[in-house]
């Protein structure tokens, strides 16, 4: 059972906006630790998408954005494209386990 | 160009041992913490272990503590993971990942480069 909870799946049509939630607790997101997001295309390694809650690495389109509030964080993807179809993972630090922790992952389907 | 290339995976018997390695290039190896993250078939990502740039500090997930040992050779730009007492729960693709700049080791890190992963299978 992941300490960070994500919906198993979300979907949207091309051009639409979708959000993926990441719910934690007072020992991780709620304690103020940053949330990071990764995109994993089928058969490939994860790729850093958002770091420190809201920042995009160079080369990541501004269609991807992150936010957080309280014990939760969200990844928003606007202007959905077929190539966005992938698994998305949130990650944070947990002071109880004293390690990084990942959410269970969310599969995005572009209809 | 940053590159991380894992090796050493394969099939091992339950209770057996295996040593993974990750060869790094394209950056000042000793300046960066490195980590192992695994992914069981069809499952999500799971943090495994990390080591700081100098090699003097390491962290482990509870699921592997006491069975796995992380180490690094800064003269050879190589990260290692010695895995022991392996069970079917350890079956996964193992990724090595670099902690990004300006992160505090073991706390609030994120991973900016990942290897392609290596499969570890535990079966009799």
């Amino acid at each position: 059972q992941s300490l960070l909870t994500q919906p198993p799946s979300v979907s949207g049509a091309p051009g639409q906006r979708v959000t993926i939630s990441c719910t934690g607790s007072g020992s991780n997101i709620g304690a103020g630790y940053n949330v990071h997001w990764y995109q994993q295309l089928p058969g490939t390694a994860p790729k850093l998408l958002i770091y420190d809650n809201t920042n995009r690495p160079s080369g990541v389109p501004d269609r991807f954005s992150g936010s957080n509030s309280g014990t939760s964080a969200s990844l928003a993807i606007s202007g959905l494209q077929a190539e966005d179809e992938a698994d998305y993972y949130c990650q944070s630090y947990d002071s109880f386990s004293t390690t990084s922790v990942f959410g269970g992952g969310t599969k995005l389907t572009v209809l | 160009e940053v590159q991380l290339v894992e090796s050493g995976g394969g099939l091992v018997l339950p209770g057996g041992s295996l040593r993974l390695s990750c060869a790094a290039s394209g950056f000042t190896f000793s300046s960066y913490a490195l980590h192992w993250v695994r992914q069981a078939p069809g499952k999500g990502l799971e943090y495994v272990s990390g080591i700081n740039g100098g090699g003097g500090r390491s962290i482990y997930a509870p699921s592997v503590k006491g069975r796995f040992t992380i180490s690094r050779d800064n003269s050879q730009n190589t990260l290692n993971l010695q895995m022991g007492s392996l069970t079917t729960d350890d079956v996964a693709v193992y990724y090595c990942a670099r902690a990004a700049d300006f992160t505090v080791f073991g706390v609030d890190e994120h991973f900016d480069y990942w290897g392609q992963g290596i499969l570890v299978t535990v079966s009799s």
Side-chain angles (χ1 to χ4, degrees):
Chain A
Q1 192 78 359
S2 303
L3 294 177
L4 304 178
T5 301
Q6 298 180 234
S9 64
V10 298
S11 63
Q16 284 189 333
R17 180 179 186 271
V18 296
T19 61
I20 298 173
S21 61
C22 175
T23 302
S25 68
S27 64
N28 40 68
I29 301 174
Y33 295 109
N34 289 315
V35 178
H36 321 289
W37 292 90
Y38 301 87
Q39 177 193 60
Q40 187 176 32
L41 298 170
T44 69
K47 168 192 167 185
L48 181 64
L49 200 63
I50 298 286
Y51 67 95
D52 293 351
N53 305 312
T54 61
N55 298 300
R56 286 185 308 276
S58 174
V60 173
D62 60 6
R63 301 186 297 105
F64 296 90
S65 62
S67 64
N68 68 341
S69 177
T71 57
S72 295
S74 292
L75 171 70
I77 309 172
S78 60
L80 265 183
Q81 300 179 4
E83 62 255 36
D84 297 333
E85 192 159 284
D87 293 324
Y88 292 84
Y89 294 90
C90 61
Q91 177 231 331
S92 187
Y93 175 80
D94 185 81
S95 60
F96 182 74
S97 66
T98 64
T99 66
S100 288
V101 290
F102 289 92
T106 298
K107 182 175 181 58
L108 169 63
T109 300
V110 181
L111 302 170
Chain B
E1 179 194 5
V2 172
Q3 286 199 332
L4 299 169
V5 180
E6 301 92 341
S7 61
L11 175 63
V12 62
L13 294 171
S17 300
L18 200 62
R19 184 181 178 88
L20 303 183
S21 294
C22 173
S25 60
F27 62 99
T28 304
F29 185 75
S30 60
S31 295
Y32 289 84
L34 293 167
H35 300 262
W36 291 97
V37 176
R38 69 185 181 183
Q39 186 170 34
K43 302 296 184 183
L45 302 173
E46 180 188 12
Y47 182 82
V48 175
S49 180
I51 188 166
N52 70 335
R57 296 176 58 201
S58 58
I59 49 179
Y60 298 93
S63 59
V64 306
K65 198 166 189 175
R67 300 189 299 122
F68 290 12
T69 302
I70 192 171
S71 63
R72 64 191 295 160
D73 183 341
N74 286 350
S75 69
Q76 298 291 320
N77 288 4
T78 301
L79 172 72
N80 302 301
L81 185 69
Q82 181 68 44
M83 305 185 294
S85 302
L86 287 163
T87 74
T88 54
D89 288 342
D90 298 313
V91 173
V93 172
Y94 285 73
Y95 295 99
C96 68
R98 191 186 82 166
D101 268 327
F102 311 117
T103 56
V104 177
F105 174 69
V107 182
D108 233 358
E109 292 173 289
H110 58 278
F111 312 120
D112 58 355
Y113 288 94
W114 297 63
Q116 85 287 353
I118 193 83
L119 178 62
V120 171
T121 303
V122 182
S123 176
S124 54

